[in-house]
Amino acid sequence: MSLGGLLAASSFEPLGFRVAAPVAMALLWWGIQRESWSRAPVLGLCFGLAYMLPLLWWLDESIGTAAWLALGTAQALFLAIASLGIRVVRDVPAAPLWGGLIWVSAETIRGSWPLGGMPWGRLGVTALDSPWEPALAHLGIAGTSLLVATTGFGVAHLVLLPRRVMVLWLVIPMTIGLVAATLPFRVPSVGSARVAVVQGGVPGDGTDLVAHHRTVTRNHLAATQRLATSLTAQGRSVDLVVWPENATALDPAGDPALSEAIGDAAVAVDAPVLVGAIVDGPSPEQAFNRGVLWSSDGIPVDSYTKAHPVPFGEYIPWRPIIGDWFPRFEEIPRDMLPGNGQMPLQVNGVPVADAICFDVAHDDVLPAQVRRGARVAVVQTSNASFTGTAQPAQQFEITRARAVELGRDVTVASTNGVSGFISADGSVRARNQSRGTEVLVETVQLRAGLTPAVRFEQQRTLVIVGGAMVALLLAAWRYAASRRARRASDPA
């Protein structure tokens, strides 16, 4: 089981060994189906620990060993429970499909609960750079997870139970994958825009943004002014400038000098500037993590508030009870309040979907804004505390998968992590070459229309979770029926 978990982890960055994902699922199925149902969660836990702890290793290096072990173990427990469900449906017809539904339901739940969940390690992301990549536009990340899991389960099930009818449960997911691969879904372009990404950089080793926040802001201001000078000299222009999350740790509304400096930069570049800012909340103990849009006239006109603040990173749950348990909690004096993440920004009449950092991994942020008309997407992220770990690469990987799912070009602005431009087919058009100050300018396509993945997202979730419940009910019904049959056959 540990080997299977390690293979699953290796299918994500930094290794990106994509083919390992279905192989890992096959090993999981092989292991738990040959054991009793009481041992299935134990084997699933071993698989989950070997999967989640290496995948989330960056937590140990950036936040601490206790956080890494706690979150990795919590995620592994979800997989242990899922493994029990997968074992229970072993004898239900089409068992690999039912098992896949249970696996993806566990992905869905652990990605949203508790405390907002942790949507890292979803199998659908491993379809990138593989023949199954176009499936993301048809099935979404969740549906592609189902494809990967069911294929792995189907292969193992066929080996364990070599019946002719079992071939169907291997052929069906492969056929779906091949069709998705040969029939990519393309959302039509309705125009284009030139977008500039300003990556300010963080002094020192790049991890302590808070200590250098004023320098970080000055870097972004200076880089934007240099961009303005360069554009003027070339006789060119841009339609939007994107600064990353935490480009300013001060609320521009409460700092007239800062607000004026940002406004002057927007006027100089003659384009709207989307600024990642920490904005004061309704009380001194609260704040918002926002993307604030300055118009080319130097006036703030719109904003997006991060929908999924990170527990123990941006706010302390149950602060009155546990707020003094760990010294590190003192580094988080204010709790970030969530936004609803539903409405796109309006940039000179063009709807732009925005996500801040971990928001990109959640299904209720960018897809919801695209359904409301967004024609292009941006991701503002910091990730400074994860400098030197695999986290920025993993998040960029998730963003690529999201671009294919959305059928939208995605612009990523980071303080010193991975900044770049991703096309709607998941390909990387440009990315930063260093962790220092850089400016990237690219033309992105504006697109209208919805991929099936976005259009039917809510229905897909209902089918997946409902299907998992039906599978468990079928297994319970078969078990009860077999017990009744045994009792009826026993001599009186």
Side-chain angles (χ1 to χ4, degrees):
M1 284 298 97
S2 296
L3 174 61
L6 290 171
L7 280 174
S10 74
S11 64
F12 297 88
E13 294 293 339
L15 297 180
F17 187 41
R18 310 299 189 196
V19 73
V23 175
M25 293 299 100
L27 290 175
L28 176 65
W29 186 275
W30 175 274
I32 63 178
Q33 301 301 358
R34 298 170 69 230
E35 299 288 347
S36 65
W37 67 267
S38 60
R39 283 182 52 81
V42 177
L43 295 176
L45 180 62
C46 293
F47 179 94
L49 290 172
Y51 182 5
M52 288 297 161
L53 290 178
L55 180 72
L56 301 175
W57 180 258
W58 41 269
L59 282 168
D60 177 64
E61 299 184 39
S62 58
I63 298 178
T65 302
W68 166 60
L69 290 174
L71 185 57
T73 301
Q75 296 298 298
L77 287 172
F78 280 101
L79 303 188
I81 296 170
S83 297
L84 174 59
I86 293 168
R87 172 60 180 81
V88 165
V89 302
R90 181 184 69 176
D91 297 322
V92 178
L97 176 60
W98 299 120
L101 290 168
I102 290 170
W103 175 274
V104 181
S105 294
E107 280 193 350
T108 301
I109 295 169
R110 71 177 179 83
S112 57
W113 184 87
L115 301 175
M118 181 60 179
W120 242 247
R122 300 171 72 186
L123 292 179
V125 175
T126 67
L128 286 170
D129 307 316
S130 80
W132 283 347
E133 182 176 279
L136 290 162
H138 293 277
L139 305 174
I141 294 175
T144 307
S145 288
L146 178 62
L147 179 64
V148 175
T150 303
T151 299
F153 292 166
V155 172
H157 198 60
L158 180 61
V159 173
L160 286 170
L161 298 172
R163 303 171 188 168
R164 187 170 301 173
V165 70
M166 288 300 115
V167 175
L168 294 175
W169 309 113
L170 174 60
V171 171
I172 288 173
M174 285 188 170
T175 301
I176 295 173
L178 289 173
V179 170
T182 56
L183 297 174
F185 190 93
R186 303 198 183 282
V187 179
S189 173
V190 293
S192 63
R194 277 175 56 82
V195 178
V197 166
V198 177
Q199 174 183 285
V202 180
D205 65 1
T207 62
D208 197 349
L209 188 150
V210 174
H212 301 283
H213 71 91
R214 294 184 183 277
T215 300
V216 170
T217 303
R218 285 195 293 269
N219 288 349
H220 286 90
L221 287 166
T224 304
Q225 291 285 357
R226 289 195 297 272
L227 171 65
T229 301
S230 174
L231 291 171
T232 299
Q234 298 174 37
R236 307 191 71 178
S237 64
V238 294
D239 299 293
L240 175 65
V241 178
V242 184
W243 289 11
E245 174 189 26
N246 283 337
T248 171
L250 300 175
D251 185 352
D255 189 326
L258 174 60
S259 181
E260 181 179 1
I262 296 172
D264 288 345
V267 170
V269 80
D270 194 25
V273 179
L274 181 59
V275 176
I278 304 302
V279 176
D280 295 336
S283 74
E285 295 79 27
Q286 297 173 319
F288 297 101
N289 191 345
R290 279 185 176 156
V292 182
L293 182 68
W294 260 260
S295 72
S296 57
D297 296 326
I299 302 170
V301 292
D302 205 351
S303 67
Y304 164 80
T305 301
K306 186 175 184 179
H308 294 277
V310 179
F312 307 106
E314 293 177 308
Y315 74 98
I316 305 300
W318 317 295
R319 184 184 288 271
I321 299 174
I322 68 172
D324 58 355
W325 284 13
F326 298 101
R328 188 181 179 281
F329 289 173
E330 298 176 1
E331 300 175 16
I332 309 170
R334 298 194 294 177
D335 291 329
M336 296 290 178
L337 300 177
N340 61 27
Q342 299 294 307
M343 297 303 298
L345 300 167
Q346 296 295 324
V347 181
N348 289 338
V350 177
V352 176
D354 190 14
I356 296 179
C357 202
F358 281 32
D359 274 354
V360 71
H362 290 270
D363 290 339
D364 61 345
V365 178
L366 289 179
Q369 295 179 60
V370 168
R371 281 194 294 273
R372 287 167 171 79
R375 296 189 171 182
V376 70
V378 300
V379 176
Q380 299 173 277
T381 187
S382 172
N383 294 338
S385 60
F386 306 121
T387 299
T389 74
Q391 193 277 342
Q394 289 177 5
Q395 185 174 312
F396 197 72
E397 176 183 53
I398 293 170
T399 308
R400 289 182 58 207
R402 191 67 77 186
V404 181
E405 179 187 63
L406 299 174
R408 296 294 189 274
D409 289 18
V410 181
T411 298
V412 181
S414 176
T415 49
N416 63 347
V418 184
S419 300
F421 293 87
I422 303 169
S423 295
D425 62 0
S427 61
V428 180
R429 299 185 58 189
R431 60 177 294 171
N432 60 308
Q433 300 299 316
S434 72
R435 296 176 185 167
T437 302
E438 283 195 45
V439 177
L440 304 175
V441 181
E442 285 286 331
T443 298
V444 300
Q445 298 301 308
L446 307 178
R447 300 180 188 274
L450 300 179
T451 62
V454 172
R455 186 182 301 277
F456 301 112
E457 178 195 5
Q458 295 175 339
Q459 295 90 328
R460 182 179 65 243
T461 301
L462 288 174
V463 167
I464 289 172
V465 177
M469 295 177 66
V470 168
L472 296 175
L473 290 173
L474 283 174
W477 178 80
R478 287 174 63 89
Y479 176 74
S482 66
R483 290 200 61 180
R484 288 194 300 269
R486 285 197 300 269
R487 284 198 299 266
S489 63
D490 287 342

